[in-house]
Amino acid sequence: MRYLIFLGSSRKSSPPNPPRLGEHVTQACKRYFQQAYPQHEIEIIDPLLIDTGSVFKPHFAYGQRTVPETLDTLANKIRSASGYLMVSPEYNHSMSPALAHLLNHFGSSNFAFKPSLIVTYSAGQWGGVRAAVGMRSFLSELGCLPVSAMVHVPKAAEIFNNEGRCLDADSDAQWASYFERGISQLVWWAQAAATHAEQVDPHDLIKHFQRDPSQRNAP
Ligand SMILES: Cc1cc2nc3c(=O)[nH]c(=O)nc-3n(C[C@H](O)[C@H](O)[C@H](O)COP(=O)(O)O)c2cc1C
């Protein structure tokens, strides 16, 4: 099975300015995931490496026209993944605009009927919990339902280096167990969803919007 880890920061920084902590937390996610489930594939999706263009034009807005390869490649990856780890910093008590912007390029049918894990962090003491609250609604609307466990990393610069290793090696086992709780829920739901989808294809059962979201309105 394949899982995508979305890195929720597109902040550019040069030394001695603060490093992009999203890289540290995302690498930690990958490391703890591989440690617990080495049989699964993981790929990090970094918004700094994905050119979505200067105007906002979602993947589905291209209609019959040729979709830019970058968007199409990512849409295929999202469609074929079994689950998602959504890693977000807290910006003004909200989820990262970079993550929301990237995800907004893809319709919910690409993510739907698969689970997600919310992972937030901050430079300060709250670990992004206020961002996490909003992410539940966002990800639910996208159809990749967030599992109940969440991961929050306060003072991320003091916890992980840029390879996702604990700066205090003595606390690594505790962080591993904390991450694994959420990761295990994600994997369990992803496996359950994949097994059931083999018996009942949800995309046959529940039709996609052909026109616009008003098609789901009450009569
Ligand atoms: C525009 C902006 C808003 C921020 N708002 C918050 C906030 O509401 N709560 C918080 O704990 N940290 C906040 N921070 C600090 C971030 O936690 C910190 O900059 C972190 O390193 C951002 O992640 P990144 O380095 O991966 O971009 C904010 C930072 C920026 C740039």
Side-chain angles (χ1 to χ4, degrees):
M1 295 177 92
R2 289 185 59 257
Y3 293 83
L4 301 181
I5 307 181
F6 282 84
L7 195 172
S9 169
S10 57
R11 193 170 61 81
K12 266 196 172 165
S13 194
S14 323
N17 295 322
R20 189 169 60 140
L21 293 178
E23 291 174 35
H24 302 208
V25 177
T26 301
Q27 288 298 338
C29 280
K30 185 176 177 187
R31 196 168 66 81
Y32 290 131
F33 198 119
Q34 284 176 330
Q35 210 166 279
Y37 297 96
Q39 70 275 33
H40 296 315
E41 281 177 50
I42 301 166
E43 182 176 346
I44 291 173
I45 306 296
D46 182 343
L48 275 185
L49 305 178
I50 295 166
D51 181 8
T52 54
S54 54
V55 293
F56 175 52
K57 187 165 179 180
H59 180 259
F60 49 82
Y62 283 86
Q64 304 302 323
R65 288 163 188 250
T66 314
V67 183
E69 203 183 325
T70 333
L71 283 187
D72 220 23
T73 304
L74 185 49
N76 287 332
K77 285 181 182 179
I78 293 169
R79 235 174 273 135
S80 63
S82 305
Y84 315 96
L85 292 90
M86 302 294 191
V87 180
S88 178
E90 183 171 291
Y91 277 10
N92 296 317
H93 292 196
S94 309
M95 78 182 274
S96 127
L99 181 60
H101 181 65
L102 183 59
L103 297 178
N104 283 342
H105 280 82
F106 304 97
S108 60
S109 60
N110 295 285
F111 298 89
F113 308 106
K114 289 173 285 187
S116 59
L117 172 64
I118 295 170
V119 179
T120 62
Y121 62 93
S122 66
Q125 64 181 325
W126 304 113
V129 286
R130 293 157 297 205
V133 171
M135 286 173 77
R136 277 211 180 277
S137 323
F138 188 106
L139 296 171
S140 298
E141 174 59 11
L142 216 47
C144 51
L145 303 185
V147 298
S148 69
M150 295 193 274
V151 175
H152 310 295
V153 184
K155 300 184 182 175
E158 297 169 30
I159 309 292
F160 298 115
N161 69 12
N162 61 351
E163 292 173 339
R165 298 198 175 279
C166 268
L167 294 168
D168 169 18
D170 290 343
S171 64
D172 185 57
Q174 259 179 302
W175 279 104
S177 142
Y178 178 54
F179 271 75
E180 273 176 39
R181 185 178 175 79
I183 291 169
S184 294
Q185 284 193 1
L186 179 76
V187 169
W188 191 92
W189 280 109
Q191 284 170 341
T195 307
H196 190 55
E198 278 170 18
Q199 291 161 31
V200 183
D201 184 343
H203 297 283
D204 284 345
L205 200 64
I206 300 141
K207 299 295 174 209
H208 300 162
F209 305 137
Q210 295 303 316
R211 236 182 20 251
D212 62 67
S214 71
Q215 288 181 287
R216 71 178 167 188
N217 288 357

